Amino acid sequence: MPSSSTLTRRPPASSPVRRRSVLGGAALLGVGVLTGCGIPAAYVAEDRRSAPDRSEDDKRLVFSNWTQYIDTDDAGGRPTLDAFSEKTGIAVGYTEDINDNDEFFGKISPVLTQGAAPGRDLMVISDWMAGRYVSLGWVQAMDRANLPNVTANLDPQLADPAFDPGRRRSVPWQSGITGIAYNRKALGREIRSTADLWAPDLKGRVTLFAGLDEALGLLMLSQGADIAKFTDDDARRAMDLVQKTVDSGHVRRFTGNDYTSDLASGAALACQAYSGDAVQLTAENPDIEFVVPEEGGELWAESLMIPNRAAHKRNAELLIDYYYQPEVAAELAAFVQYICPVPAAREVLAASGDKEKAELAENPLVFPTDGMRARLHTMRDVTSAERPELHKVWGRITGV
């Protein structure tokens, strides 16, 4: 495998995790439901999901990912991916054709609904959207016999999401936390709780995420809800709170990709934020801190999934398992700097002899401490039945 010294750091401005702030769910609203039975009209039954696997005779696969979400070098190569091809003889057609969860959903939904070949064998989907792919029957169950490294090394805290119990149809690519970022020097005090955002001295200087799926978990946690099994009442109470802060002028605005610019410029002093962005924000400005609130932060993942009718399923599974070797996971983590779903990669970085990597091994935003982990919770998906009404209410609040 190429030396890590050849890796080129991801530019802060292109942080891929910000895609979670793209509004979610609109695409699903266009998927009809069969009258009287509650089954989406686009649902694909288990016996219609697979295609003849050409992996043995056709040593290749097509991998769809987001931009700048894999390690690269100065020559334009992808060291870990290139090493996989060299080791296995499997050529990887790597495409960065996912720019937005809803946009990609709209692009691939006609193909998957009709049972046609998707033209890709592997894709990375944000967890709140991944739940919809699972519920619609659009992704295949993986052969766990081909995933021994995943079984041995997957972070236990990511191993059993509500949308995919036991991770039968998804495997985390990278992970992150939704928490709070703030300028401690400018504010002059610490923020410890989401409730601290509503302090009088922050009026007009707070931003929240515009996306329901991105904002709601942290807000419900602040009110004591169990977001793994939240109720409609839990969601409504959180939205009522936000409505009051909007009415009083406390919330500056609801943000998408640009929330970091408000914090960096001083227009906002505190905001909902992602840990992946915080790694870069705090490196650029040491006055900015990221905190997992005392009452809890939201742990999420973006997952590798194999779509129905994929032509190279076993090859895709081999690639997934390759990235769960601690040495490979460490190489990827050193570049993307999100929460690594392979905790054992921390020891690899710590023992690398590279000062920067050793420091990364101690960064709790890449390898959370036990204390931080105790405050992390995973939110269940907003179901297709709940989504229309919740989006209507949330849209009135945010004006989006």
Side-chain angles (χ1 to χ4, degrees), residues 78-365:
R78 302 181 178 95
T80 57
L81 201 59
D82 295 341
F84 169 79
S85 294
E86 184 176 346
K87 178 180 179 180
T88 63
I90 298 171
V92 181
Y94 185 82
T95 63
E96 296 181 338
D97 61 344
I98 305 178
N99 299 305
D100 173 315
N101 279 291
D102 282 330
E103 178 186 282
F104 187 72
F105 184 101
K107 178 168 64 176
I108 201 170
S109 59
V111 177
L112 294 177
T113 301
Q114 295 166 17
R120 53 182 58 79
D121 305 288
L122 199 57
M123 54 192 185
V124 177
I125 305 297
S126 298
D127 53 359
W128 58 265
M129 181 64 87
R132 270 150 253 172
Y133 282 76
V134 171
S135 65
L136 287 166
W138 287 2
V139 289
Q140 300 184 63
M142 299 180 193
D143 185 346
R144 299 298 293 195
N146 292 331
L147 303 172
N149 290 318
V150 174
T151 300
N153 298 321
L154 172 60
D155 185 340
Q157 212 163 2
L158 296 171
D160 197 36
F163 76 86
D164 185 24
R167 288 284 181 187
R168 295 183 61 240
R169 304 179 190 279
S170 63
V171 173
W173 173 248
Q174 296 292 291
S175 181
I177 301 167
T178 301
I180 296 169
Y182 70 105
N183 190 317
R184 182 175 179 178
K185 182 178 180 181
L187 184 59
R189 59 179 172 83
E190 289 187 340
I191 285 180
R192 297 179 179 272
S193 167
T194 301
D196 292 341
L197 293 177
W198 319 131
D201 60 344
L202 278 171
K203 183 174 181 178
R205 308 295 292 278
V206 173
T207 66
L208 301 177
F209 287 136
L212 173 71
D213 299 85
E214 290 75 25
L216 197 59
L218 197 70
L219 297 168
M220 289 192 295
L221 282 168
S222 74
Q223 297 179 314
D226 179 354
I227 63 172
K229 49 185 178 183
F230 71 86
T231 66
D232 184 71
D233 285 344
D234 292 329
R236 298 290 180 144
R237 276 194 295 272
M239 290 192 287
D240 286 345
L241 171 64
V242 177
Q243 182 68 71
K244 291 177 182 177
T245 66
V246 169
D247 292 343
S248 68
H250 195 90
V251 173
R252 168 179 165 77
R253 68 188 184 107
F254 293 90
T255 63
N257 294 352
D258 49 353
Y259 78 91
T260 56
S261 63
D262 278 20
L263 190 62
S265 70
L269 293 183
C271 60
Q272 286 187 319
Y274 301 126
S275 57
D277 285 332
V279 173
Q280 298 292 340
L281 285 168
T282 56
E284 295 168 3
N285 183 350
D287 295 331
I288 292 177
E289 295 190 9
F290 179 87
V291 62
V292 176
E294 292 175 336
E295 68 275 13
E298 182 186 354
L299 178 68
W300 47 264
E302 294 180 311
S303 294
L304 295 152
M305 308 182 88
I306 299 175
N308 291 354
R309 311 293 293 176
H312 307 91
K313 182 173 182 288
R314 183 174 180 274
N315 288 347
E317 291 166 345
L318 293 178
L319 180 62
I320 293 170
D321 201 57
Y322 163 79
Y323 274 99
Y324 269 74
Q325 297 174 77
E327 296 78 10
V328 180
E331 200 78 5
L332 182 60
F335 181 83
V336 299
Q337 298 184 359
Y338 295 112
I339 292 179
C340 180
V342 181
R346 179 179 180 274
E347 298 174 13
V348 175
L349 292 171
S352 66
D354 180 291
K355 180 182 178 182
E356 189 175 354
K357 285 188 173 184
E359 290 175 352
L360 193 66
E362 300 304 317
N363 189 328
L365 299 185

